[in-house]
Amino acid sequence: MAKISDPKTIFPDFISDYQEIFKADLLGIILYGSATGPDFIPGKSDINFMIVLGEEGIDHLERAFHVVEKWRKKGVAIPLFLTESYVETSLDVYPIEYLNFQRNHQLVFGKDILKDLVVDPEFLRLQCEREVKGKLLLLREAFLKTSGKPGPLKALAKEALPAVIALFEALLYLKGEALPQPKKEVISAASRALEIDVAPFESLLQVREGALKPDREKGVAVFKACLGEMRKLAKIVDALGG
């Protein structure tokens, strides 16, 4: 299967396929995530779309079976299918996710339902506190499951870093800081604004991208340092309010 080097090249066919099956119930198509910015790596990064449907369309997702499968074979992830009302009534529950969508999206077709979303700071702070404290427990458990082996540690880095980056972005937003685009710059900005050590998270990013292949001792040290900074982060979030 040939790599999709530029997601924009598939837009016309992608739009046509979903228009054919949902017709007037197709209200919008949005590209989101790393495929919209400088962190996109052809063949490695996910290509994620959001399909916005009317109430009638969302009740007939089975129409999309063959189209979803067609594009999965080409390297496109299964899209998020949702309605505008679902988004409007979910901002209090998933503010981090919607902030991330809003920052990293490109309108492909129809209405941009993300452009004018407003996130309530207190809902955002509460989710940040839940996520930081919850992720800290999960990371400790996952760290122990690796037994310190380089392969499992690398897999854990790939899985954990996106959630950590999203938390950094949310906390920068809460503190009124500018939000940079590349992941490395987000980590650096969070380090300055939150007064945490940037080095462990930069190492985690290098491991995830394959630029760093630590041995057992180094890998364990990196994750221990990340866990220590996450503990600091939990206290910082708690101090922001509540």
Side-chain angles (χ1 to χ4, degrees):
M1 180 180 65
K3 296 178 182 178
I4 298 174
S5 58
D6 183 354
K8 295 184 185 67
T9 61
I10 69 170
F11 287 176
D13 289 341
F14 195 82
I15 294 168
S16 177
D17 282 350
Y18 279 97
Q19 280 183 316
E20 183 177 346
I21 57 176
F22 288 113
K23 299 181 172 54
D25 263 323
L26 178 64
L27 305 182
I29 298 177
I30 295 170
L31 179 73
Y32 70 90
S34 60
T36 65
D39 290 318
F40 179 71
I41 303 174
K44 292 186 178 181
S45 298
D46 291 334
I47 299 176
N48 295 298
F49 287 97
M50 185 179 293
I51 308 293
V52 186
L53 299 175
E55 298 298 332
E56 173 71 17
I58 206 73
D59 283 335
H60 294 283
L61 290 182
E62 72 280 0
R63 297 173 185 170
F65 282 158
H66 68 285
V67 173
V68 168
E69 183 61 21
K70 168 187 171 180
W71 287 103
R72 283 186 69 192
K73 291 178 179 177
K74 294 176 181 289
V76 176
I78 298 176
L80 288 181
F81 288 87
L82 39 71
T83 64
E84 189 170 5
S85 64
Y86 176 89
V87 173
E88 291 171 348
T89 58
S90 302
L91 282 171
D92 57 340
V93 184
Y94 302 114
I96 291 178
E97 287 77 5
Y98 285 114
L99 180 63
N100 193 34
F101 289 150
Q102 191 177 53
R103 287 197 63 241
N104 303 282
H105 82 281
Q106 178 180 349
L107 181 64
V108 176
F109 167 82
K111 183 177 181 180
D112 188 347
I113 65 168
L114 301 176
K115 182 180 65 173
D116 297 322
L117 293 181
V118 178
V119 172
D120 185 301
E122 182 56 17
F123 289 144
L124 184 59
R125 191 204 67 79
L126 285 170
Q127 191 187 5
C128 283
E129 184 173 355
R130 287 195 301 270
E131 291 292 323
V132 170
K133 293 178 178 178
K135 288 290 186 298
L136 182 55
L137 293 177
L138 292 174
L139 283 174
R140 286 172 179 160
E141 179 183 0
F143 175 59
L144 290 170
K145 284 182 179 179
T146 69
S147 297
K149 298 176 183 177
L153 282 173
K154 181 178 180 180
L156 179 56
K158 289 184 176 181
E159 181 181 349
L161 192 63
V164 173
I165 296 290
L167 278 169
F168 285 166
E169 291 176 342
L171 289 168
L172 287 170
Y173 180 90
L174 274 177
K175 291 179 74 68
E177 300 284 341
L179 300 179
Q181 192 74 14
K183 291 182 176 67
K184 186 174 182 179
E185 292 182 20
V186 171
I187 293 171
S188 297
S191 174
R192 293 189 297 270
L194 303 170
E195 298 182 359
I196 58 175
D197 184 7
V198 68
F201 298 103
E202 286 185 337
S203 295
L204 208 65
L205 178 60
Q206 291 174 341
V207 171
R208 189 176 193 272
E209 294 178 344
L212 177 64
K213 297 180 180 179
D215 57 20
R216 181 189 182 97
E217 183 178 355
K218 176 65 174 176
V220 168
V222 167
F223 268 91
K224 283 183 66 178
C226 286
L227 289 172
E229 295 308 305
M230 289 291 285
R231 287 179 64 199
K232 291 181 188 178
L233 201 58
K235 294 178 182 178
I236 290 168
V237 177
D238 192 60
L240 289 176

